Structures are given as C-alpha cells and as structure tokens.
C-alpha cells in the first residue's frame, strides 16, 4: 500500500556548530518521502520552481516516489535558511522566502485519489482539509502542524482534527494546542479533539505515543554527534507512516513497530546536513539500527 | 544482602503549584532508605537533631532500616525550604539551615563495616571517600554528587570516582563533570574517570544508563500530576541499589531490572508531598507499576 504526503519542498541553507551547507534540498514532503520510500511507494504532492534540482527529482523517482503531484510553477522554490546553536535544539531562522509555496493549493491527481494512507505535513489546516476532500476514502490520516496554525487558525485546525487519526506534533505544540502543561493531560485533551493516536516528539528524548489508555515511549537514539536536526520530525513521520502503509498493521504492536522505524529514520537524518545521510542509507543500516533500538529499550534482554 | 546509605536527613518545607507541606521529613538518606526498604534491609548513616520526629525513626525501623548509624546531636536537624514553579522542573531554594549536618562526619558503626552494597548520597566527596575507607570490602559502590562539588571540589571528586562503580547524576551534572554537552560523549568521559556504569537522570524524560558499550534508556512514568519532585532521584537510587542488593545480580539484565525498579520508586514519590506516598505504598503497587513500565516500553508486546 502506498502512502500519500502533502507538504513543502524547499531549498535550505543550514549553519550548525559542525559546519554549514548551502542550497541543499529539504522541506517536509521531501524528507517524509525519502524516509517513507525505504518502506513503501510514495505519492508526493508539493510545488517547486524551475530552480529545484532535476537530479533530486530523478533520484526520488528511482526510489519509488511518484512525483505526479509535484507541480512546477514559475518562480523560486521555497527557501529557508537557519542557524542551529551549540545546543542544537535551538535554532534561528535567518531568511525565509516562500516563493511558489506562498500560494500552494494542493491538487491531488486522479491517480492518487484512492490513497488510504495519507500524511498531511505542516501547512495551513484549511489546505490540509482540502486534501482530505479530494480523496475518496482515506483510512489512516496522519497530520502535523505548528505553533503558527495553533495560535492563528485554531478553528480550522480543530475542524481538521476531527478527521485526523494520528497527530504527530512536538511537546511545545502539544502544550499550546491542549492548553495543558502536563503531557498526560495534554494528550488526553488532544485525543478528545478527534485523533485516536497522538505522537508527541520530544527531540533528543524521543517520542511518546498516547492511544486510548495505551502509552508507549521510545527514547531517541543516543548519538555522539547531531550534525543537523532539520527534517528529523518529518523523517520520523515518513518512517512511521511508510512502515504502517507497508505492513497495514495498525494494531497496537504494529503501531509500536512503526514508531520505532520512524525513530530510526529520524536518528539517521540528523547525522549529516540535509537529507545527505538518507541519500546513502541502506535497508541494512535501518534494520541494524532497529535492533539497536530494541537493545536500547529492552528491560530483560540485552 | 543489605545496602548501606550515607547522606542527609532533613526537615523540609515545600511549596508547589498543588499546595504546600510544612516540616515534612526528607533528605537523601531518608528517601533512599525508605525506597530501598521495599527491596532489602538498609543500613543508614546520617545525623539528626532532637527536633527530628521520633515516630519517623520508629517507622523506618519497622521497615527494616537499621538506624545504628544515625547520630543524634545537639542542635537543629538540617532544614530546607523550597518552591517549585508551575514547571516543576524548576525550583528556588527559599531557606537553608545546615544545623547538625554542617559538621557531619560519617562514622560507620562496626556492624556496618562488612557492607558490600553501598550508596554515597550527595555530600562532600572527601566525606564520601572517608566512608569507603571505613569499609572492609565494598563491592558495589553507587554515588551521587552535585554541581557544587563538581565545581568546587573536582580533585577530591575525581579521586573518589576511581573507587566508585556506579555514578548516579542528572544530565546537567553530567555535562559539568565531563565538560561535554553531548550525552554520549559525556558518558564516555565519565566512564573513563572510574565508574563502570553511569546513570544519567533526565527528570521527566527518565534515565539513561551507559555501561561499557551498552546503553539502556527508560522513560519516566507519565503521570497526570507531579505534586512534589523532592526526593525523586534519591528514591530512584534507593529502588535501584535496594533491588541490586536483594538480587545480587549485577549482570546487564539485572542492572536493567534494578533501573526499572528505581524508576518505579521515583515515579511514586512525586505523587505526594515529601515521602508521604512511599509511607503508604505497598509491594503490590510497586509490582503493578513495574508491569506498567514494561508495557510502556515494550516494542512488540502491549
């Protein structure tokens, strides 16, 4: 089963304590697609300008990413540049140019309309809702959002959440959305808004999942060096949704395994600038790290 | 096998968002002893004034805590008062009066000198070393410390660490001690100082253990309400060392189980002010929460 993703495609410039990278490809939909492509075929919806490198699109296609939903429009691709602090959990945006992404209106190609596994990466909740309206019968709908929409578009977001199965957000966003500081109460409030599962990303501390009465926590993989955190959350979502779409196992155990695969993908992407680490990743790397996650968390086995 | 603990005994006053408690008993050695007493017999070394409530000492004795090493000296028991913020990870010390603890010189009774499992709670590293000198053959030496000693008594602390097997500190202390921000490199540096195991406490994110090449991470138990975080780290240490002394299983799996028992004890104590929750805790409560920890972290089973 393929997975559909809708979101940004970008060209980023990143400065971090370990160096810098100029004009590397990025954006939530790109990171998601790359990560998910290790698990299943991907249908990608986004927009780029003619400045977006053709070779990257060709590479995505070779990886099984269907680019039928990626429009090329006149203008510049969305550009972001930022600087990470010594504490890489903190970053400043240095420059932002929405370019063709500024009036992005997702159009779902006919051939995508039967998509059952869908991920709505972080865009305006009105646009996220428009994606669902273009689909015939989405079954597993994952969704990300950000502080901006929570603060500025709460009514639209709350409407959307009624149609979302799994919300993937970070701890700060969860607090803002739920108006609760405590993570357990925060998750309970979010679950009452619609999703049956909320996955809260805690950066270097990993992921905690709340689904009904079930709670699952997985630590982040302890790395000696985090080179560039850009895309970690989107790669988590890509690994998670990609594995779910592959296995079609949304049982509690199936969800947990998918969360670990998502964590694996998030742990790799931060090892180099932009998507470079994923570009040279192998399936064997993924399975090895999955086993390391099992060892990292197993109470009885080592 | 019993476990020996040396550290502070106090009378605390705590303000927190959920209320306040005046003149409740506390101190690292008291929290440790209470937590460890659910697993094995405890030998306690500390100092109190005549103002320390006799009923609490009687209760400890009934729980199998040997108070032969607790001196009563003229003066006031160590008093601390503090206020936790809305974010309970942040606290201000409002008042501190060392009292009889100010010139505490741990004296190990003859009957304790054969202790093999030892925990040196947070006191001056010179005094911690003096404890080891009074013991015939300590085999498993756990140790806590704090920023103050790392900054002000580094040479003494480094000498001590050569004789410590397991260091239990929080993430901020680990960074300060190792002069490394990254937790993996930080742990590697600490292991090079002597301990074969370092347990890094990450507050609401749980514990991460580094032992040689092995890494084990366990999340904190997700609680709807943290009433009073005082003593959480000491109860972790008490549950951890208490279970280790009981099982005498210091294999990797034995250590992991002990870490989970420690996490269980830390998760209970924060549910009420001071040691109140531990005072009414049962062994069944502990085992139930241990199973909840297994469910919380099990990738394949739920």
């Amino acid at each position: 089963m393929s997975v559909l993703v809708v979101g940004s495609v970008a060209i980023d410039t990143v400065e971090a304590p370990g160096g810098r990278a100029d004009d590397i490809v990025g954006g939530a939909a790109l990171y998601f697609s790359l990560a998910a492509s290790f698990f299943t075929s991907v249908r990608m919806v986004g927009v780029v300008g003619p400045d977006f490198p053709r070779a990257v699109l060709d590479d995505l296609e070779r990886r099984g990413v269907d680019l039928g939903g990626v429009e090329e429009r006149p203008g510049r691709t969305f550009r972001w540049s930022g600087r990470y602090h010594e504490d890489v959990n903190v970053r400043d945006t240095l420059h932002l140019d929405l370019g063709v992404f500024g009036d992005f209106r997702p159009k779902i190609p006919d051939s995508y309309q039967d998509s059952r596994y869908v991920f709505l990466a972080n865009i305006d909740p009105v646009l996220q809702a428009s994606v669902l309206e273009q689909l015939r019968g989405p079954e597993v709908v994952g969704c990300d959002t950000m502080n901006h929409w929570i603060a500025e578009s709460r009514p639209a977001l709350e409407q959307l959440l009624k149609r979302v199965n799994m919300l993937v957000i970070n701890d700060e966003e969860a607090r803002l959305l739920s108006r609760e500081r405590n993570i357990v109460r925060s998750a309970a409030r979010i679950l009452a808004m619609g999703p049956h599962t909320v996955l809260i990303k805690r950066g270097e501390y990993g992921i905690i999942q709340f689904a009904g009465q079930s709670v699952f926590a997985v630590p982040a993989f302890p790395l000696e060096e985090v080179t560039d955190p850009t895309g970690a959350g989107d790669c988590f979502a890509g690994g998670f949704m990609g594995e779910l779409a592959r296995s079609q196992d949304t049982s509690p155990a199936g969800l947990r395994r998918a969360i670990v695969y998502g964590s694996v993908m998030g742990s790799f992407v931060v090892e180099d600038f932009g998507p470079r680490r994923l570009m040279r990743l192998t399936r064997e790397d993924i399975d090895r790290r999955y086993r390391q996650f099992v060892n990292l968390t197993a109470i009885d086995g080592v």
Side-chain angles (χ1 to χ4, degrees), chain A:
Chain A
M1 180 64 56
S2 63
V3 62
L4 168 68
V5 61
V6 180
S8 61
V9 184
I11 298 177
D12 296 337
T13 292
V14 177
E15 296 175 39
R20 63 177 287 150
D22 290 89
D23 298 334
I24 41 170
V25 296
L30 181 127
Y31 280 112
F32 180 101
S33 297
L34 253 177
S37 72
F38 287 90
F39 301 90
T40 193
S41 57
V42 183
R43 295 165 167 183
M44 186 170 163
V45 175
V47 60
V48 296
D51 55 341
F52 193 84
R54 184 72 238 172
V56 171
L57 299 175
D58 292 344
D59 180 61
L60 283 168
E61 283 190 320
R62 278 192 300 272
R63 292 169 183 274
V65 179
D66 182 337
L67 301 177
V70 178
E71 286 181 87
E72 185 182 307
R73 301 190 55 178
R76 269 162 67 90
T77 300
F78 177 26
R79 303 230 170 200
W80 174 81
S81 72
R83 180 190 296 134
Y84 290 91
H85 291 220
E86 200 60 48
D87 173 357
V88 291
N89 301 303
V90 185
R91 76 178 187 190
D92 304 318
T93 288
L94 301 177
H95 180 74
L96 191 75
D97 174 6
L98 290 176
V100 296
F101 189 61
D103 43 21
F104 176 49
R105 298 289 174 276
K107 277 201 286 287
I108 308 302
D110 290 351
S111 62
Y112 288 11
Q113 288 172 10
D114 61 351
S115 297
R116 287 163 47 203
Y117 289 77
V118 180
F119 190 73
L120 308 169
N122 165 38
I123 53 174
D124 185 334
V126 172
L127 300 182
Q128 290 175 313
S130 80
V131 170
L132 296 184
E133 278 143 31
Q134 295 174 65
L135 296 174
R136 280 203 287 276
E139 285 169 22
V140 178
V141 178
C143 177
D144 189 7
T145 188
M146 72 182 289
N147 287 357
H148 174 74
W149 309 117
I150 298 169
E152 306 298 329
S153 304
R154 182 179 282 270
L157 182 59
E158 289 185 353
Q159 279 304 310
L160 174 71
L161 288 180
K162 294 177 186 168
R163 304 164 69 184
V164 164
N165 306 114
M166 308 195 195
L167 183 65
V168 183
I169 54 178
N170 71 34
D171 41 9
E172 188 193 338
E173 292 155 357
R175 287 197 191 105
L176 194 66
L177 176 60
S178 62
R179 300 183 170 118
E180 269 288 353
R181 158 159 278 290
N182 174 279
I183 201 166
V184 179
R185 290 201 303 261
S186 173
R189 288 207 177 197
I190 292 169
L191 294 179
M193 293 177 181
H196 63 61
T197 296
V198 57
L199 292 155
I200 300 178
K201 298 176 282 185
R202 306 200 276 183
E204 64 177 308
Y205 302 110
I207 300 277
I208 186 162
Q209 175 215 27
F210 294 86
Q213 293 306 303
S214 164
V215 190
F216 175 52
V218 60
F221 192 74
L223 293 169
E224 276 196 38
E225 186 90 49
V226 172
T227 299
D228 174 11
T230 313
D234 301 312
C235 288
F236 168 79
F240 169 66
M241 292 289 302
E243 166 61 13
L244 270 191
R246 184 204 64 76
S247 70
Q248 299 187 54
D249 177 1
T250 54
S251 71
L255 284 171
R256 286 177 175 219
R257 281 190 289 267
I259 289 167
V260 176
Y261 276 113
S263 303
V264 165
M265 301 312 288
S267 78
F268 276 122
V269 75
V270 304
E271 292 184 339
D272 201 347
F273 284 97
R276 286 178 189 160
R277 184 69 184 91
L278 291 201
M279 300 281 196
R280 58 176 193 272
L281 198 66
T282 67
R283 180 69 209 201
E284 290 66 42
D285 294 330
I286 293 171
D287 292 333
R288 189 178 318 113
R289 189 157 290 178
Y290 186 95
R291 291 191 299 272
Q292 290 175 313
F293 264 96
V294 172
N295 284 340
L296 174 66
T297 58
I299 292 175
D300 281 308
V302 279

